[in-house]
Amino acid sequence: MLARLDFSDLRLFLLVAEAGSITAGAARAHLALASASERIRTMEDALGVALLLRERRGVQLTDAGRALLHHARTVQQQMARMHDELNEYAQGMKGHIRLLGNTAAISEFLPDALGSFLTQNPFLNIDLEERLSHEIVQAIVDGNADIGIIADSVDSGPLQTLPFRVDHLVVVLARGHTLARRKQLQFSEIIEQHFVGLSDGSALQEHLAGHALRAGKRLQYRVRLRSFDGICRMVEKQVGIAIIPATAAARCQQNMAIKSIPLRDAWAKRALLICVRQQEELPGHTRQLLQHLQNGAI
């Protein structure tokens, strides 16, 4: 029965749901009201469940309707992505690679690696997106991405993994901070401090929040920014302290009055891993990128 639904049905349902009215949705879809109403009823018959609650002033989504709306939007996005990719091929593009990475991978390690790869391969495009490591694993398993960079603390399930980089998390403080003379710090010693962090949705911030929650605490952020450079500038002004990758801290220390101190917690030293479904099944250009990333592994 589900096979009777097609993309035009889903598009009509999206338009009706967004407009809150079958009449308005039909107009946006350039359909007669009677035709649109019949197609919605046919969808409900095919699914065996009501999708809309018809009211005098429009329609409301049922629980099933809200579920369908979610999936319809996903299908629409995938169709748009497919159209864009195929258009790129028509214009001479030879390949499109979907790459997911956590915060450290995307901000510190991938820019140089991808820059050199794209320079050597001008007819390839890379769709790069930041995700949490466990989300990356699921996306690779589901076939929604080609390559992922994850922390080794996450279960990679059935995926093949390869070494990529080692990511050390450090505490960054202003040079005049009372803890600046310490050689090492434990997360539990600083958990009550005021922090400067990355914007909401950052994989690194979610990672830190998880460890704070396990300690029965919640990190207090005075301000959140979009870059490690911005974070370090706030730390330099004694707004708070921060936890960032050692590579970012070393770069910022060159021209800022800050100091980085290693975290002693075991989870602060993470191996970053490349993950894929099956190397042998990847397209040639994706295997090229995989090899390129492995060449710089440490």
Side-chain angles (χ1 to χ4, degrees):
M1 297 299 288
L2 291 176
R4 294 172 58 184
L5 299 183
D6 59 26
F7 184 67
S8 60
D9 291 330
L10 295 178
R11 179 174 179 274
L12 172 62
F13 182 75
L14 272 170
L15 293 173
V16 169
E18 290 169 356
S21 162
I22 297 178
T23 301
R28 294 180 184 182
H30 306 291
L31 292 173
L33 175 58
S35 176
S37 295
E38 180 59 28
R39 288 178 64 173
I40 294 291
R41 288 194 190 93
T42 300
M43 293 173 64
E44 291 177 320
D45 289 342
L47 296 168
V49 65
L51 301 172
L52 302 173
L53 297 175
R54 291 151 177 87
E55 302 173 346
R56 290 183 60 186
R57 296 186 178 182
V59 295
Q60 295 289 333
L61 296 177
T62 64
D63 288 342
R66 282 188 285 272
L68 179 60
L69 179 63
H70 168 75
H71 291 293
R73 283 176 172 157
T74 299
V75 170
Q76 185 182 53
Q77 291 166 359
Q78 290 174 337
M79 291 292 288
R81 174 179 284 180
M82 180 186 73
H83 180 273
D84 290 344
E85 286 189 28
L86 293 178
N87 187 51
E88 289 173 353
Y89 281 107
Q91 295 177 12
M93 192 60 59
K94 303 301 182 185
H96 193 108
I97 304 170
R98 298 181 187 86
L99 174 61
L100 305 179
N102 64 4
T103 305
I106 286 182
S107 64
E108 296 302 312
F109 302 115
L110 284 173
D112 287 342
L114 295 184
S116 58
F117 179 79
L118 289 170
T119 299
Q120 297 165 18
N121 297 273
F123 296 104
L124 293 178
N125 276 356
I126 295 177
D127 183 4
L128 180 62
E129 183 179 346
E130 180 181 337
R131 296 272 193 92
L132 299 174
S133 289
H134 71 271
E135 294 175 344
I136 294 172
V137 170
Q138 191 60 54
I140 300 294
V141 170
D142 292 343
N144 294 325
D146 303 304
I147 301 175
I149 309 293
I150 62 174
D152 64 346
S153 57
V154 171
D155 182 5
S156 58
L159 300 180
Q160 294 181 352
T161 59
L162 304 160
F164 179 57
R165 300 288 192 278
V166 175
D167 173 37
H168 298 263
L169 293 178
V170 299
V171 183
V172 179
L173 315 96
R175 286 180 184 168
H177 196 282
T178 55
L179 297 174
R181 294 180 179 275
R182 296 284 298 275
K183 298 298 183 183
Q184 289 184 322
L185 285 167
Q186 195 85 19
F187 188 52
S188 59
E189 296 178 88
I190 60 171
I191 203 168
E192 302 283 358
Q193 296 275 333
H194 289 295
F195 280 81
V196 179
L198 289 170
S199 301
D200 283 341
S202 157
L204 175 57
Q205 295 311 124
E206 295 290 340
H207 179 66
L208 296 176
H211 284 288
L213 186 61
R214 281 187 277 278
K217 302 288 184 178
R218 182 178 178 183
L219 298 181
Q220 301 298 314
Y221 289 98
R222 296 197 65 198
V223 64
R224 294 190 178 203
L225 302 100
R226 298 181 64 85
S227 71
F228 290 129
D229 283 17
I231 286 174
C232 288
R233 292 194 183 282
M234 285 290 182
V235 169
E236 183 182 31
K237 298 296 184 182
Q238 302 185 33
V239 173
I241 70 172
I243 296 176
I244 65 175
T247 51
R251 183 178 65 251
C252 293
Q253 274 184 247
Q254 295 177 10
N255 54 22
M256 298 184 202
I258 60 174
K259 182 177 179 182
S260 63
I261 301 175
L263 268 177
R264 199 162 60 229
D265 303 78
W267 53 262
K269 182 178 180 181
R270 307 180 296 170
L272 299 183
L273 305 175
I274 303 168
C275 64
V276 296
R277 290 183 297 279
Q278 292 291 332
Q279 294 184 58
E280 302 77 12
E281 297 176 0
L282 295 173
H285 54 268
T286 307
R287 289 200 303 272
Q288 277 184 270
L289 175 58
L290 188 64
Q291 184 60 54
H292 184 83
L293 296 175
Q294 283 184 268
N295 288 344
I298 55 174

